[in-house]
Amino acid sequence: MPKAMTLRLDDDLAAELEAIARIENVPIAEEVRLALASHVAARRRDRAFQARLKASIERNEEILKRLASD
């Protein structure tokens, strides 16, 4: 199910986004979705990010295991 979100942009970025959407003849929301999908894909390829992600997962697993113990 799609999730609605509020996004606050400064005036210049909002104007640029609106112009891009108009030129591409797509809704602003579609341009935002495309940009976010590209950003997420870049993070998946980023080795440094992946290393930080793995460390975060390991830290959180330890915390969750402690919380779940009797």
Side-chain angles (χ1 to χ4, degrees):
M1 173 195 270
K3 181 171 183 159
M5 302 180 97
T6 300
L7 180 64
R8 297 188 192 282
L9 304 174
D10 64 43
D11 290 341
D12 290 341
L13 184 56
E16 291 171 347
L17 178 59
E18 289 168 0
I20 291 169
R22 223 179 8 260
I23 290 165
E24 294 295 337
N25 198 31
V26 296
I28 292 171
E30 181 61 18
E31 280 300 318
V32 171
R33 282 189 290 271
L34 291 170
L36 290 173
S38 178
H39 181 73
V40 169
R43 288 293 188 249
R44 286 185 174 132
R45 294 186 304 269
D46 182 332
R47 289 183 183 179
F49 174 82
Q50 289 297 318
R52 292 190 305 274
L53 177 60
K54 182 178 178 186
S56 176
I57 290 169
E58 290 168 357
R59 279 191 308 272
N60 284 304
E61 280 181 344
E62 292 171 11
I63 293 166
L64 292 171
K65 285 178 184 175
R66 279 197 315 259
L67 288 170
S69 68
D70 292 334

